[in-house]
Every structure is written in structure tokens, then in C-alpha cells.
Amino acid sequence: MTDPSTEPARVPDAVRLDLYSTMVLARTYELAIQREYHADKGPGFDIGKGLVPGEMHLAAGQEPVAAGVCAHLMVDDAVTATHRPHHFAIAHGVDLNRMTAEIFGRETGLGRGRGGHMHLFDPSTHFSCSGIIAEGYPPALGQAYAFKTRGTGNVAVAVTGEGAANQGAFHESLNLAALWKLPVLFVVEDNAWGISVPRSASTAVSSNAVRAAAYGIPGVRVEDNDVDAVYAAAGEAIARARAGQGPTLLEVATLRMLGHFEGDAQGYRPELAEVASHDPIPAYARRLQDAGILDEDAIARIATSAAARVEAAITFAKESPLPDPADVLKYAFAEEA
Amino acid sequence: MTTAPSTPVRRLNTSKAMAEAIAQEMRANPEVIYLGEDVGSYGGIFSSTVGLLDEFGPTRIIDTPISETAFIGLGIGAAVEGMRPIVELMFADFMGVCLDQIYNHMAKIHFESGGHVKVPMVLTTGVGGGYSDGAQHSQCLWGTFGHLPGMKVVVPSNPADAKGLMTAAIRDDGPVVYMYHKGVMGLAWMAKNQRSIGPVPEGEYLVPIGTAAVAHEGADVTVVTLGLSVHHALDVAEKLAGEGIGVEVIDLRSVVPLDRETIVASVAKTGRLVVVDEDYLSYGLSGEVIASVVEADPGLLTAAPRRLAMPDIPIPYAHVLEYAALPRPERIEALVREVLA
């Protein structure tokens, strides 16, 4: 295991601006979805009510992981994300309008309203996600297998949370990918909470990155939710994968700023009052300002641009038609598409 | 469509017919691969891949670690990218260690994506008992696969269907679970049914998924079944024909989609129905078949329908106990006589 965060990562200025913009877009999106989600859940809180019904898992605070990893990806590279998928979808370039329409359950959505926010599938960017812990890892192996067989040089990125690192699918996937030298980057977002259970209550290892040793592959842990450090570590791992040297396990200590799901009061969480002070985005803005590559005007411009894109996507979703209930039996089988 | 067997016909056992279909599709399409445990030099524990490694090599006939979740998921990801993987789950009984990949991923991705993502994958698996392999290696479980939406489920009972259904399964744009009963494969080390070796068309041969076959015509009683039980039912039908009793045997061949039309048409002719199922009795295929007939027209039946299935117990090990539970020919015969009485 190495710890790249001990040295400041050297990331080109233009890349750092892109990383910042990606994080801002993802955050703007999450907050807008949060606003829309809660807008019509009342009186009280009824999870099944409103324009955006069902569970909602937001990734505010975890943007550095998605931005730092996906900055190295091409559109033909694959990402399998978790039940908390929006930041990775945005960082990988999934169409914002169609993703939003899916979250709003519209016919124009990525899955024509059949999937919902935990089940987003975008073949144009090879993006998918799964509502089942760790079970997004095995399909990533197959995408990597197809890339390797065809010699495309593409990679697959498989994402889980730290709670999923205790699941069988996680370990089987690391073993098989290592054995076959598949071009995969396994990413663990360690936000320290498996719903309400702290990491200390779910595993005896201090870092999931050490588990890579069991499979003979590199394991890297980035300690401080630092997008520059994620970018540097992911870049090295993805380059290895593209060069045919096999998978890497990358764990990032990140921050779940919100509840496990919207409506989660987080009474189990003692450090809740301090969470806002660890927000990685203003911290990164300050760092870029100190480095002289970002100023107040640029911050405002990036925020305005993100807000415009997000609000346009929400408008697109709201103005899109709902699926026709007469089509409810479609798409169980391929020939009916 | 069914390709009429106009091409030359040889006699093969079921496992060779299955492997022949795979080989023909692999020659035609380099994106077809086969992976699973012991599918390489061993040729599959139930001979599902005998000879394929020699022709296609280890990059297309791929031995995997014992990691069903990882390698079935790998098949899903490869299929999502447009390959046509065939993945073997050695025993259907093992579905529990990897069921999430099967029913939450393989079977649901197409639906969840609103039809935008296809998963053209075949999951092969050995099923069935009768050789004292005990409760964890003898189940059929096609009712479970059939109950969970999004995957087609086929069960060939003879060599020609094994070839035709495999060809159709590989070419299908969605996931197909191909369940081969060990007792019909024609294995050298297992009691062989006389019909486990039979005529198989050469060249391209398809059996469309979702069409049952009338395996034996008769006017007095319909026996609906699948897999090894088809052979038992045919034995009974041939015996009773000597007594002037007409037993019509319907070989379902496909659990999903279920060919309800053929079932109903047969019962409309005979008025009597016996369902034989080597899977568990309750909440299973036998109830589904009877419900399909009653829903179509409750007046079709002139006698109460009967079913013979695995009683709701784990499959026993001791030979005498296992045979007491399995739908053996003598019990099929007794039930047919009962429903005719």
C-alpha cells in the first residue's frame, strides 16, 4: 500500500479547473435534486409522494472521488457506480437531461422511467449503477474483459462504498480481475458510514486498500478527500490498467455530508455538527485561489454555468411526458423493445 | 420458426448435441465465448463442453475460479458490451451464491434501462436428481428461475431440442437460462435413458424458445411435463397405448415463455390433465400449468386435474427415499390411471 497524500500531487492548472467545475456541477445537481425531492413530500414526510418518489441517496461531499477518477476516462470507458451514483454519472458525462428525466420517472429518461435513481443505464457512456451493495463490481469485470478481448485499450471503473468491501462480490471480483489482469480500477468510497453503522463496527482492517495485497494487486488509500490526490492516484492506476498491467484498488477517505438517504435524521452520527466545515469544494476553491488559478469572478461564472445546466435539466424532466401505463409490460424481454 | 430437420440426421447424445450447437455458433460469431468451472480440459462436469477447448482454445472456452458471483457478473458485463457469453453454473443448486447477479442484474438490466441495454447471455446449468447426490446437488429449480422476471428459461429433454434450443438461446438478444437435466445428457457414468441418444439434424438447427412439443399423441389424457420426466411419461404413454389408452405427452421445452396455447389445445382434446414436475410441488410450475388451463376455460376439464411433483422436502440422499420422492414412471402411470378412472 502506498499513500500518495504524503506528497502534494502535481496536477496541471487546466485539469484542476476542470476538476473544480465538475465538483461544482455535481454539488449543484445534488442540492437541486434535494430541493425538488423535498418540495412535495408533505405534509409530514411521505417517501412515496411527489415528483421524485422513492429513496434518494445524495453524494454531496464525495465529489472529489468522482471528479478525480473520471477526469482520466474516455467516453468509451465503463463506470459501474453504486446506489449513490449521480456524482459519478455527472463526472463521466452522462446526459444530464436524460438522467434527470429518469429520476423524475419520465419517458425521456435513461430507462424510460423503469429504472429510477439507483438504476441508471447509459450505453452511450457505458455507465451503469446498482442498488445492491458490491454487486456492481462483477459486471465491470465483463466490460473490462470485452475491452481487453477487443484490444480497445479501454478500462472499467467499479465503485463501491467501504461497507461493500465486506461483501463476497467484492473479493471474488478482485481475485478474478487480478488473475486475468483485467483493465479495472476498483474504487472504494470510504465515507465511514454504512447507513448508520460506522466503519469501525464493520471491519477490523484500518484501510480497505490493504486488502489488495491478498490478491497481489496494488492498493492505494487517499486519506483526505483531496481531488488532486485522487486524480494522481487514479491516473497511475488507470494508466496501469490501460497498459495491460491489471487492476488496482483505490480507496478514498471521503465525506457523506448528508444522510444515507433523504429523510435520514442521522441521530447515530456524533460528528454531524462538524461535517459542513469539512466540505471539500470550498476548500479546493481556496487552494486554487491561493495558487492563482481561480478568482472570485471565475467561481461565480462556474457556479452560474452549473446552475443553468442543472435547472435546464430539471425543467426538461418536468416538461417530459410520463410513461404510458399501457406500456407497463414492455422491456422485460429483448424482443419487445 | 422451427427449421425442419431436412438436413442429414445422425444419432448423438444430448451433451454432444448441445456442444455441437455451441461450436457452430462459436464458428459463426467470434463474440461467443463459454466460461465456467471445469468447462475447459474437463469438458464440463456433465459433458456440456466436451471437445470445445480443442477447437476454440482457452481464450474462448474459459475455466474460471470457483467464484460464481464474479464470473456470472463478468458474463453480464461482457454481454452489455455486445459479446455473447455462455456462462455455466455447474449445478442449479448453486444459484444461491450468485442469485443477485442472475435476478437483479442479468434479468433486470434490460427492463431498468427501458430497453436501451441488451444482455445477450446464456446461463447454462445442470439440474435434476435420481443418482443420490443429495439435497444440495439434485434440485431442478426451474420454477424459481421462471418466477423471477426477465429471463427466458428453457429445458431440453432430448438431443435435437438440446441443439435447437441452444442455438436459439445464443442468438437471443436477452438472457436465457438453459437448464439441462443430467439424466438426459447421455452420460457414460449415469443410468442412461434410451432417448438420451437420438437423431440430431446437422448444420443450422433452431427450436424457437416458447414452443412446447407434442411428444406423443393421445386422445384420453394430457400429461404436461419437461426434462427427464418427459422420458418417463413417454414410457408410460407407450405402455398404455398397448391397452388402448391414449396418453398425450406435452414436452414444455420452455418454462418462460410458457406455451399455454399448446397445453390448452391438448386439454381441450382430452379433457384430462396430469402435470409431472421434478421441481417442488407448492407454488411451482405444476400449479401454473393447471391455472393456465382453468383460466383459459374452466369447462375444458372433465376430471379434476392432478399433479405429481417433488413433495415439499429437500431431496433425500438414500436411493429408496429419493425414488420415493421423485416422479418415477410407475407413479406417473398410477396417476394417469386415477384420472381416467
Side-chain angles (χ1 to χ4, degrees), chain B residues 279-281 309-314 324-326 331:
Chain B
D279 199 356
Y280 300 116
L281 177 75
M310 274 301 299
D312 300 323
I313 52 164
L326 285 170
R331 301 175 66 213

mmCIF file of all heavy atoms in Angstrom, chain B residues 279-281 309-314 324-326 331:
data_model
loop_
_atom_site.group_PDB
_atom_site.id
_atom_site.type_symbol
_atom_site.label_atom_id
_atom_site.label_comp_id
_atom_site.label_asym_id
_atom_site.label_seq_id
_atom_site.Cartn_x
_atom_site.Cartn_y
_atom_site.Cartn_z
ATOM 1 N N ASP B 279 -39.545 -30.470 -10.155
ATOM 2 C CA ASP B 279 -39.314 -29.357 -9.232
ATOM 3 C C ASP B 279 -40.351 -29.465 -8.099
ATOM 4 O O ASP B 279 -41.254 -30.295 -8.138
ATOM 5 C CB ASP B 279 -39.459 -28.043 -9.997
ATOM 6 C CG ASP B 279 -38.806 -26.857 -9.295
ATOM 7 O OD1 ASP B 279 -38.299 -27.027 -8.174
ATOM 8 O OD2 ASP B 279 -38.828 -25.765 -9.877
ATOM 9 N N TYR B 280 -40.206 -28.622 -7.098
ATOM 10 C CA TYR B 280 -41.069 -28.718 -5.920
ATOM 11 C C TYR B 280 -42.540 -28.454 -6.247
ATOM 12 O O TYR B 280 -42.857 -27.723 -7.177
ATOM 13 C CB TYR B 280 -40.583 -27.747 -4.845
ATOM 14 C CG TYR B 280 -39.166 -28.032 -4.396
ATOM 15 C CD1 TYR B 280 -38.144 -27.113 -4.615
ATOM 16 C CD2 TYR B 280 -38.840 -29.250 -3.802
ATOM 17 C CE1 TYR B 280 -36.845 -27.395 -4.223
ATOM 18 C CE2 TYR B 280 -37.545 -29.537 -3.411
ATOM 19 C CZ TYR B 280 -36.541 -28.599 -3.624
ATOM 20 O OH TYR B 280 -35.263 -28.891 -3.252
ATOM 21 N N LEU B 281 -43.403 -29.046 -5.439
ATOM 22 C CA LEU B 281 -44.846 -29.012 -5.708
ATOM 23 C C LEU B 281 -45.451 -27.635 -5.504
ATOM 24 O O LEU B 281 -46.084 -27.080 -6.412
ATOM 25 C CB LEU B 281 -45.554 -30.020 -4.783
ATOM 26 C CG LEU B 281 -47.088 -30.037 -4.895
ATOM 27 C CD1 LEU B 281 -47.517 -30.733 -6.180
ATOM 28 C CD2 LEU B 281 -47.719 -30.726 -3.692
ATOM 29 N N ALA B 309 -45.327 -34.045 -8.366
ATOM 30 C CA ALA B 309 -44.128 -33.215 -8.323
ATOM 31 C C ALA B 309 -43.282 -33.638 -7.141
ATOM 32 O O ALA B 309 -43.683 -34.489 -6.340
ATOM 33 C CB ALA B 309 -44.510 -31.740 -8.209
ATOM 34 N N MET B 310 -42.108 -33.036 -7.018
ATOM 35 C CA MET B 310 -41.315 -33.295 -5.820
ATOM 36 C C MET B 310 -42.116 -32.811 -4.627
ATOM 37 O O MET B 310 -42.539 -31.659 -4.599
ATOM 38 C CB MET B 310 -39.997 -32.518 -5.875
ATOM 39 C CG MET B 310 -38.867 -33.208 -6.603
ATOM 40 S SD MET B 310 -38.401 -34.821 -5.926
ATOM 41 C CE MET B 310 -37.891 -34.377 -4.271
ATOM 42 N N PRO B 311 -42.340 -33.671 -3.649
ATOM 43 C CA PRO B 311 -43.012 -33.172 -2.453
ATOM 44 C C PRO B 311 -42.137 -32.084 -1.812
ATOM 45 O O PRO B 311 -40.964 -31.975 -2.114
ATOM 46 C CB PRO B 311 -43.113 -34.409 -1.567
ATOM 47 C CG PRO B 311 -42.104 -35.372 -2.084
ATOM 48 C CD PRO B 311 -41.926 -35.072 -3.534
ATOM 49 N N ASP B 312 -42.738 -31.291 -0.971
ATOM 50 C CA ASP B 312 -42.023 -30.124 -0.438
ATOM 51 C C ASP B 312 -41.044 -30.516 0.669
ATOM 52 O O ASP B 312 -41.180 -30.123 1.829
ATOM 53 C CB ASP B 312 -43.034 -29.091 0.065
ATOM 54 C CG ASP B 312 -43.934 -28.628 -1.055
ATOM 55 O OD1 ASP B 312 -43.433 -28.490 -2.192
ATOM 56 O OD2 ASP B 312 -45.134 -28.413 -0.808
ATOM 57 N N ILE B 313 -40.059 -31.292 0.263
ATOM 58 C CA ILE B 313 -38.984 -31.697 1.175
ATOM 59 C C ILE B 313 -37.667 -31.526 0.436
ATOM 60 O O ILE B 313 -37.628 -31.600 -0.792
ATOM 61 C CB ILE B 313 -39.107 -33.180 1.594
ATOM 62 C CG1 ILE B 313 -39.248 -34.061 0.340
ATOM 63 C CG2 ILE B 313 -40.259 -33.379 2.556
ATOM 64 C CD1 ILE B 313 -38.999 -35.519 0.567
ATOM 65 N N PRO B 314 -36.574 -31.291 1.156
ATOM 66 C CA PRO B 314 -35.272 -31.365 0.492
ATOM 67 C C PRO B 314 -35.099 -32.749 -0.113
ATOM 68 O O PRO B 314 -35.640 -33.735 0.393
ATOM 69 C CB PRO B 314 -34.276 -31.109 1.627
ATOM 70 C CG PRO B 314 -35.070 -30.371 2.662
ATOM 71 C CD PRO B 314 -36.461 -30.922 2.568
ATOM 72 N N ALA B 324 -38.607 -42.618 -3.812
ATOM 73 C CA ALA B 324 -39.966 -42.470 -3.264
ATOM 74 C C ALA B 324 -40.493 -41.058 -3.469
ATOM 75 O O ALA B 324 -41.706 -40.831 -3.464
ATOM 76 C CB ALA B 324 -39.966 -42.815 -1.773
ATOM 77 N N ALA B 325 -39.579 -40.114 -3.632
ATOM 78 C CA ALA B 325 -39.998 -38.723 -3.796
ATOM 79 C C ALA B 325 -40.077 -38.295 -5.254
ATOM 80 O O ALA B 325 -40.917 -37.478 -5.633
ATOM 81 C CB ALA B 325 -39.017 -37.801 -3.046
ATOM 82 N N LEU B 326 -39.189 -38.823 -6.093
ATOM 83 C CA LEU B 326 -39.134 -38.399 -7.493
ATOM 84 C C LEU B 326 -40.364 -38.864 -8.274
ATOM 85 O O LEU B 326 -40.940 -39.912 -7.959
ATOM 86 C CB LEU B 326 -37.879 -38.977 -8.161
ATOM 87 C CG LEU B 326 -36.542 -38.324 -7.814
ATOM 88 C CD1 LEU B 326 -35.396 -39.170 -8.371
ATOM 89 C CD2 LEU B 326 -36.474 -36.906 -8.371
ATOM 90 N N ARG B 331 -45.300 -44.104 -10.770
ATOM 91 C CA ARG B 331 -46.211 -43.153 -10.114
ATOM 92 C C ARG B 331 -46.961 -42.314 -11.141
ATOM 93 O O ARG B 331 -48.118 -41.944 -10.933
ATOM 94 C CB ARG B 331 -45.422 -42.276 -9.135
ATOM 95 C CG ARG B 331 -44.730 -43.137 -8.066
ATOM 96 C CD ARG B 331 -43.851 -42.321 -7.155
ATOM 97 N NE ARG B 331 -44.642 -41.411 -6.357
ATOM 98 C CZ ARG B 331 -44.225 -40.207 -5.979
ATOM 99 N NH1 ARG B 331 -43.036 -39.778 -6.352
ATOM 100 N NH2 ARG B 331 -44.990 -39.460 -5.238
#
